[in-house]
């Protein structure tokens, strides 16, 4: 099945007879689409839309084939190399299934060895290999988890909760030139607190976004075209009504 998709991409990228748009793409220009497709997969899962999930997984697979085709044209690697690499990694990381479990150094040791073996410009040490392209909330959580593995962490949720109060005070006293930094520190502290509460901060914010969209749409639907002209108090009343209706 995947061979058909590989042939389609090769034809789209054909220098003479391919699609002008597809031929013009590079790793860098395709990367935003790859990220977008991954989020659309997550969205389909969150909505419980299985038919849409099937379609979105296809779109994501296309991104893998697209990147692999670009690399193959440059003589760097091809799709079979990508499949072989992930197959090797999965077997290596599951020695209790595919090898000698008694000789396994353990999951974290295996991953640490893989990170150490990479010859990239990423920072080394415990925080090495956390992708820069991750959403900021997810990356903050991953950095904190990495730090926690080597003992740099609050013992319980009270520490990051107190840190939030500290960061709020610093924002209130910060000059305009330092506000961005201080707000960033606050968000980092909130992620840390969420982690200690066993809450996925990225998922929590996606849920909050969806809730805001639902309630805002309900406000607009109730008020009709006159919604922009309403006073803030009137809009607050509509918001409260939308919250009540959603909870009932």
């Amino acid at each position: 099945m995947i061979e058909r998709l590989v042939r389609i991409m090769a034809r789209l990228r054909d220098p003479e007879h391919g699609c002008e748009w597809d031929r013009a793409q590079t790793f860098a220009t395709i990367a935003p689409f790859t990220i977008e497709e991954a989020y659309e997969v997550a969205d389909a899962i969150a909505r419980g839309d299985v038919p849409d999930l099937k379609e979105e997984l296809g779109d994501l697979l296309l991104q893998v084939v697209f990147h692999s085709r670009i690399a193959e044209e440059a003589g760097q690697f091809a799709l079979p190399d990508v499949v072989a690499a992930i197959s090797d990694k999965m077997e290596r990381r599951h020695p209790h299934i595919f090898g000698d479990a008694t000789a396994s150094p353990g999951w974290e040791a295996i991953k640490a060895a893989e990170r150490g073996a990479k010859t990239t410009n990423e920072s080394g040490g415990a925080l090495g290999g956390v992708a820069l392209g991750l959403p900021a909330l997810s990356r903050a959580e991953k950095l904190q988890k990495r730090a926690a593995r080597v003992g740099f962490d609050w013992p319980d949720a009270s520490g990051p909760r107190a840190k939030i109060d500290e960061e709020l005070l610093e924002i209130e006293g910060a000059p305009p030139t330092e506000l961005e930094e201080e707000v960033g520190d606050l968000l980092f502290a909130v992620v840390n607190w969420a982690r200690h509460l066993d809450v996925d901060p990225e998922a929590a914010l996606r849920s909050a976004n969806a809730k805001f969209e639902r309630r805002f749409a309900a406000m607009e639907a109730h008020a009709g075209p006159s919604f922009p002209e309403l006073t803030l108090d009137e809009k607050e009343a509509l918001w409260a009504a939308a919250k009540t209706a959603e909870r009932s």
Side-chain angles (χ1 to χ4, degrees):
M1 285 291 184
I2 198 170
E3 289 79 8
R4 179 186 174 197
L5 183 57
V6 171
R7 291 194 300 270
I8 290 172
M9 180 53 62
R11 185 169 180 180
L12 290 172
R13 292 276 298 180
D14 184 271
E16 295 183 10
H17 306 293
C19 169
E20 181 179 352
W21 186 88
D22 289 279
R23 291 200 315 265
Q25 302 312 305
T26 65
F27 292 133
T29 61
I30 288 297
F33 296 100
T34 307
I35 296 169
E36 180 180 346
E37 296 300 349
Y39 274 108
E40 291 184 358
V41 167
D43 179 65
I45 293 171
R47 290 184 285 104
D49 190 335
V50 176
D52 193 39
L53 175 60
K54 179 184 68 175
E55 180 178 346
E56 297 301 344
L57 285 171
D59 291 342
L60 185 58
L61 178 60
L62 174 64
Q63 297 299 308
V64 176
V65 173
F66 209 147
H67 283 288
S68 298
R69 179 64 193 181
I70 295 172
E72 184 176 1
E73 292 168 359
Q76 296 166 329
F77 59 83
L79 183 62
D81 302 309
V82 175
V83 176
I86 188 57
S87 298
D88 290 344
K89 180 187 289 185
M90 293 305 293
E91 291 178 345
R92 186 171 62 249
R93 289 186 173 182
H94 297 82
H96 58 296
I97 303 296
F98 301 104
D100 182 3
T102 61
S104 171
W107 173 265
E108 293 301 334
I110 292 170
K111 292 184 69 176
E114 290 174 353
R115 289 195 297 269
K118 287 186 177 180
T119 55
T120 68
N121 292 326
E122 296 172 338
S123 63
L127 304 185
V130 180
L132 290 170
L134 285 171
L137 287 178
S138 294
R139 191 163 193 270
E141 183 186 26
K142 282 185 175 292
L143 290 171
Q144 292 168 7
K145 285 182 175 179
R146 289 284 186 86
R149 289 174 187 169
V150 293
F152 189 69
D153 195 15
W154 299 102
D156 54 49
S158 63
R161 176 62 186 87
K163 189 68 175 175
I164 290 173
D165 291 335
E166 177 185 327
E167 297 299 346
L168 283 169
L169 289 173
E170 291 186 4
I171 288 174
E172 291 173 356
T177 55
E178 296 178 9
L179 274 177
E180 180 177 321
E181 179 182 352
E182 296 299 344
V183 170
D185 290 344
L186 173 63
L187 292 173
F188 195 83
V190 170
V191 170
N192 214 346
W193 191 31
R195 183 174 60 86
H196 277 271
L197 296 174
D198 293 324
V199 172
D200 179 342
E202 192 73 30
L205 186 55
R206 282 200 302 269
S207 178
N209 288 341
K211 180 169 61 178
F212 180 82
E213 288 176 317
R214 288 194 310 270
R215 292 176 178 176
F216 196 89
M219 292 165 60
E220 290 180 311
H222 189 276
S226 64
F227 177 76
E229 284 71 45
L230 297 179
T231 66
L232 182 57
D233 286 341
E234 290 171 328
K235 289 172 182 173
E236 286 285 358
L238 287 175
W239 178 262
K243 287 176 62 176
T244 301
E246 190 171 279
R247 292 171 175 171
S248 61

